[in-house]
Amino acid sequence: MKSKIMYIENKSYGHHGPAWIGFVEFSKSGQTVYFHNKALKKLKPWYIRKSF
């Protein structure tokens, strides 16, 4: 798996949730991020829309 240093923020508590900077690993598809032995699903923000 590919490793990268990233900023991770827990938004389940609202806009001011806990945050970390650390090494993460990505799955082969890139849809899942692993941080501290936990799998986090990579979500696309609701405000990003495709222009056709």
Side-chain angles (χ1 to χ4, degrees), residues 3-51:
S3 297
K4 188 175 181 181
I5 294 178
M6 290 189 75
Y7 173 81
I8 295 109
E9 186 173 1
N10 185 343
K11 294 284 191 172
S12 65
Y13 298 109
H15 290 287
H16 302 289
W20 304 268
I21 295 175
F23 281 100
V24 298
E25 292 182 337
F26 295 90
S27 65
K28 288 182 182 180
S29 67
Q31 295 299 309
T32 306
V33 177
Y34 297 94
F35 178 69
H36 282 229
N37 296 323
K38 293 183 182 179
L40 309 172
K41 185 162 181 162
K42 190 175 176 182
L43 299 175
K44 191 183 287 188
W46 62 270
Y47 52 84
I48 294 179
R49 306 218 185 256
K50 290 184 181 179
S51 297

